[in-house]
Amino acid sequence: MNPARRLVLAATAAATCVLAFSGCSASPGHQQAIDSGASSSATAAPPSAPASAASPAGGSDAALPGMPPLLDPNNIYAADAADRLSPTVRSFPNRIYVPNTESNTVTVIDPATYKVLYTLRVGREPQHVVPSWDLKTLWVNNDLGNSLTPINPATGKAGKPVSVHDPYNLYFTPDGKYAIVMASNDRQIVFRDAHTMRVVKAVPSQCGGVNHADFSPNGRYFIVSCEFSGDLLKVDTERMRVVGKQKLPEAHAMPQDVKLSPDGRTFYIADMTANGVWRLNGDTFAKPTLLYTGKGAHGLYVSRDAKSLYISNRGEGSISVLDFATGRLTAKWHLPGGGSPDMGGVSTDGKVLWLSGRYNSVVYAIDTTNGKLIKKIPVGAGPHGLCVYPQPGRYSLGHTGVFR
């Protein structure tokens, strides 16, 4: 989002929330009216999921009904190992899809040659490119355009946009039933039918700047960050209810990306003003602790071997590397001449970390073996949540690539 606009929204959200806690969201009825024209045909139907199996790590309850069981209870990313592509995506060409928020375009890059292939015109202010739960569609989140543009990853062509209000970011429930729209401006978490995108339930977020999330190992709940009010939410997936809320213990906190550790015990939440990552026990939802990483901590990406977490520090042009086993930082990679590394993803083989350069109109390709910059590729203005596709995994939970 445009920085100036974010400041205005933040100020507005803060002022409104001071007046009335429950008044921070638009009414569900208003949202229903807005979305009455949603398409019923532009979304590929997710395949049926097998019944849940044994309880996964990090949660005592049985898995969410309909959620595919974890392959390894000690590694929630076991299905995301290098080159472990689903049969659904094996024939898709490798591409990098870059949403340019200020150009209203998506730049498509060939990762083999590091060259721009073509540019797609999409809706106003595209924020993220998100794989659908069934892996068959890429959704461009046109936030101010109030639409989702589908891209066929087999052909790279864009389809007819679907009317969805305020789709700042997009997630999917682990059972594949619902899409979850993080409607930041509307201050809502909107559950939609994953087939039709019609609204099922609009939940007042009770915070300002709702944006990123990740799910518990058993899929029963997800943790959400609210960047403008500095809150974290715990949301019951099946009941579609906010069941926990806490303000981060740092003045002016601005939480961003959220990612779960492989053992399912710790949620990491990047914070761009606290300049580090918060570590949270999602089950107890107790007070989190902060680990300093660098100025403007922003995006979080898990390595293909599930041993490391890459943390982009947008404010200082660096990437911190965290070792999951010890919880300690093992390296910091600095981009030559600085930069603004933001959101992105890891290549199929795990050898390249792709990040958008939000304020430099470029994309960075970084060697994950040594942190060296391989290539800096010019794109449109304001590149944000780029998507590396295809990626390993059986199904997508949303954002630029959260797979299980």
Side-chain angles (χ1 to χ4, degrees):
M1 182 181 294
N2 181 283
R5 181 168 174 268
R6 281 185 178 280
L7 289 174
V8 172
L9 289 170
T12 303
T16 306
C17 291
V18 165
L19 294 175
F21 176 78
S22 61
C24 291
S25 301
S27 71
H30 175 66
Q31 186 70 40
Q32 289 276 8
I34 289 170
D35 295 308
S36 60
S39 169
S40 61
S41 61
T43 313
S48 59
S52 59
S55 297
S60 57
D61 295 330
L64 181 73
M67 170 184 149
L70 294 173
L71 297 182
D72 180 352
N74 297 310
N75 178 14
I76 64 168
Y77 300 111
D80 303 352
D83 300 318
R84 195 167 185 165
L85 294 174
S86 160
T88 303
V89 305
R90 280 179 192 159
S91 63
F92 295 167
N94 288 310
R95 297 288 182 263
I96 310 299
Y97 298 88
V98 187
N100 304 302
T101 57
E102 297 173 31
S103 300
N104 302 328
T105 58
V106 170
T107 301
V108 182
I109 298 171
D110 181 351
T113 62
Y114 301 101
K115 294 184 180 302
V116 172
L117 294 176
Y118 55 93
T119 301
L120 298 170
R121 173 68 57 178
V122 295
R124 188 180 171 198
E125 198 177 85
Q127 293 286 353
H128 302 92
V129 176
V130 176
S132 62
W133 187 88
D134 66 2
L135 311 177
K136 295 179 179 177
T137 304
L138 296 176
W139 289 112
V140 182
N141 304 171
N142 305 312
D143 192 17
L144 293 185
N146 295 320
S147 65
L148 299 176
T149 299
I151 294 176
N152 182 339
T155 64
K157 295 182 178 179
K160 182 181 178 182
V162 177
S163 177
V164 169
H165 201 260
D166 190 19
Y168 178 76
N169 209 346
L170 183 66
Y171 289 86
F172 294 90
T173 56
D175 59 9
K177 288 184 178 179
Y178 305 113
I180 303 173
V181 173
M182 297 297 178
S184 179
N185 297 339
D186 291 341
R187 303 185 189 93
Q188 292 182 333
I189 300 170
V190 185
F191 290 79
R192 292 174 175 266
D193 185 299
H195 297 253
T196 65
M197 288 292 172
R198 294 184 69 85
V199 173
V200 175
K201 185 177 182 180
V203 181
S205 67
Q206 306 176 11
C207 66
V210 61
N211 54 27
H212 297 92
D214 200 358
F215 289 82
S216 63
N218 60 17
R220 289 283 182 179
Y221 68 85
F222 54 101
I223 299 297
V224 180
S225 62
C226 303
E227 89 172 272
F228 297 145
S229 59
D231 292 304
L232 299 180
L233 306 178
K234 183 175 181 177
V235 182
D236 186 305
T237 308
E238 195 167 25
R239 292 190 295 162
M240 305 179 189
R241 292 179 54 186
V242 176
V243 295
K245 177 186 175 184
Q246 65 169 297
K247 190 169 289 295
L248 286 167
E250 179 85 10
H252 311 299
M254 293 189 76
Q256 306 291 313
D257 205 0
V258 181
K259 205 73 72 189
L260 185 61
S261 62
D263 64 6
R265 301 182 187 282
T266 305
F267 284 86
Y268 289 89
I269 303 110
D271 190 322
M272 64 182 293
T273 54
N275 300 322
V277 292
W278 296 98
R279 294 167 293 194
L280 172 78
N281 182 321
D283 287 351
T284 64
F285 203 56
K287 181 180 177 181
T289 58
L290 181 68
L291 173 69
Y292 177 83
T293 61
K295 188 177 180 181
H298 214 86
L300 305 174
Y301 300 96
V302 178
S303 62
R304 288 277 165 241
D305 60 8
K307 292 183 179 179
S308 302
L309 180 68
Y310 306 122
I311 304 157
S312 62
N313 303 307
R314 193 175 73 184
E316 63 177 40
S318 72
I319 296 92
S320 296
V321 183
L322 180 142
D323 177 67
F324 280 120
T326 64
R328 295 179 178 175
L329 300 176
T330 57
K332 180 178 278 191
W333 304 330
H334 292 272
L335 295 170
S340 53
D342 196 289
M343 295 291 178
V346 179
S347 62
T348 298
D349 60 11
K351 295 180 179 178
V352 181
L353 172 64
W354 290 85
L355 294 171
S356 60
R358 186 68 181 272
Y359 301 125
N360 299 86
S361 300
V362 297
V363 161
Y364 309 106
I366 300 159
D367 188 328
T368 58
T369 64
N370 55 24
K372 300 294 186 183
L373 179 66
I374 300 171
K375 200 76 174 179
K376 186 163 63 175
I377 306 166
V379 293
H384 190 207
L386 72 76
C387 180
V388 177
Y389 211 70
Q391 294 186 57
R394 298 169 298 166
Y395 61 96
S396 165
L397 293 175
H399 193 32
T400 61
V402 182
F403 298 96
R404 297 284 196 266

